[in-house]
Amino acid sequence: MFTLPDLPYAYNALEPYIDERTMQIHHDKHHAAYVKNLNDAIDDLQQINKLTIEQLLAQLDQVPEKVRTKARNNGGGHYNHRLFWMVMSPNPEGALRQAQGNLATAINGTFGSFEKLTELFSAVALSRFGSGWVWLSIENGKLKIEDSPNQDNPMMEGRIPILGLDVWEHAYYLKYQNMRVDYIKAWWNVVNWAEVERRYKEAVQ
Ligand code: MN
């Protein structure tokens, strides 16, 4: 059985960039529903329900066809939101934070600069049509920006996501309405680069 993890900070901790009410509904309703529906889907499958979420997403083709779409959508929903909460952290000082260390070096090598990374990533986030996610992922040790529909993620295609942005309307509509562009801009202020770098090191080691 999968369980809903607590947020690693208070609901209002990401204010003013992400509002308390959005965080409450997003975590307590949306993420909780993905966990419940995932458990319901695989409850009586002995081989499957002992896997970690990473194992499950890496081998969705092993899931019986009749529950595979449910496992994909809700398993992806669980994994993606768990990552999303972790790669954000409060920023009471309000200064824009940047990647450090090995990750910063890799970003500069791949995209030219940190600013270029945020520009490219933001452009993909803005142009993503419909519900989905934008990712910074690792493929063969190299950084890659990509997007995915619904609750899909790079892990389903053998890559390792280290940063993800939820661009479903439920992630921003209460505060930003149709202004996804403002949500994306605000979100950079709460990216937890220490956690992203930890995931980067783990992925490339
Ligand atoms: Mn979401």
Side-chain angles (χ1 to χ4, degrees):
M1 294 289 276
F2 295 99
T3 54
L4 178 67
D6 289 335
L7 281 181
Y9 34 72
Y11 294 113
N12 65 0
L14 303 182
E15 296 266 12
Y17 308 105
I18 301 183
D19 62 290
E20 177 174 14
R21 185 82 180 119
T22 295
M23 290 300 289
Q24 265 175 349
I25 297 171
H26 203 171
H27 176 270
D28 296 3
K29 305 295 183 190
H30 290 277
H31 190 173
Y34 295 124
V35 173
K36 181 185 186 304
N37 292 335
L38 174 61
N39 285 329
D40 288 350
I42 64 170
D43 191 30
D44 52 0
L45 302 172
Q46 294 294 321
Q47 304 301 319
I48 302 297
N49 66 19
K50 290 181 179 61
L51 299 177
T52 65
I53 191 63
E54 290 84 357
Q55 290 168 333
L56 177 69
L57 297 185
Q59 46 188 285
L60 281 166
D61 55 342
Q62 307 292 312
V63 178
E65 206 178 341
K66 65 178 168 55
V67 294
R68 193 177 302 154
T69 300
K70 261 193 168 174
R72 183 186 190 104
N73 290 340
N74 293 289
H78 175 42
Y79 178 91
N80 295 349
H81 288 85
R82 197 182 58 168
L83 180 145
F84 189 50
W85 313 136
M86 297 298 293
V87 297
M88 297 189 289
S89 63
N91 183 357
E93 300 80 21
L96 190 63
R97 299 180 298 208
Q98 296 202 5
Q100 306 289 327
N102 292 346
L103 177 58
T105 305
I107 287 171
N108 291 337
T110 305
F111 304 105
S113 67
F114 180 79
E115 288 69 28
K116 197 71 194 162
L117 161 76
T118 59
E119 271 175 38
L120 290 168
F121 190 105
S122 298
V124 174
L126 196 56
S127 61
R128 165 82 235 154
F129 186 78
S131 296
W133 289 75
V134 187
W135 306 99
L136 185 62
S137 62
I138 308 290
E139 181 176 42
N140 300 324
K142 294 260 170 46
L143 291 170
K144 178 184 172 77
I145 294 170
E146 59 183 309
D147 63 341
S148 63
N150 306 315
Q151 295 295 351
D152 286 0
N153 70 43
M155 191 159 284
M156 296 172 182
E157 294 173 18
R159 296 183 289 278
I160 303 170
I162 61 171
L163 175 64
L165 172 59
D166 190 344
V167 291
W168 283 56
E169 285 187 344
H170 69 223
Y172 64 87
Y173 211 85
L174 284 179
K175 183 176 173 74
Y176 295 100
Q177 291 82 48
N178 61 318
M179 298 304 291
R180 187 191 285 187
V181 64
D182 292 341
Y183 161 66
I184 296 165
K185 196 169 171 218
W187 176 74
W188 289 111
N189 288 282
V190 292
V191 172
N192 180 355
W193 287 106
E195 173 64 14
V196 181
E197 189 182 4
R198 189 191 68 74
R199 288 168 185 261
Y200 172 75
K201 283 179 177 160
E202 202 175 88
V204 298
Q205 78 186 355

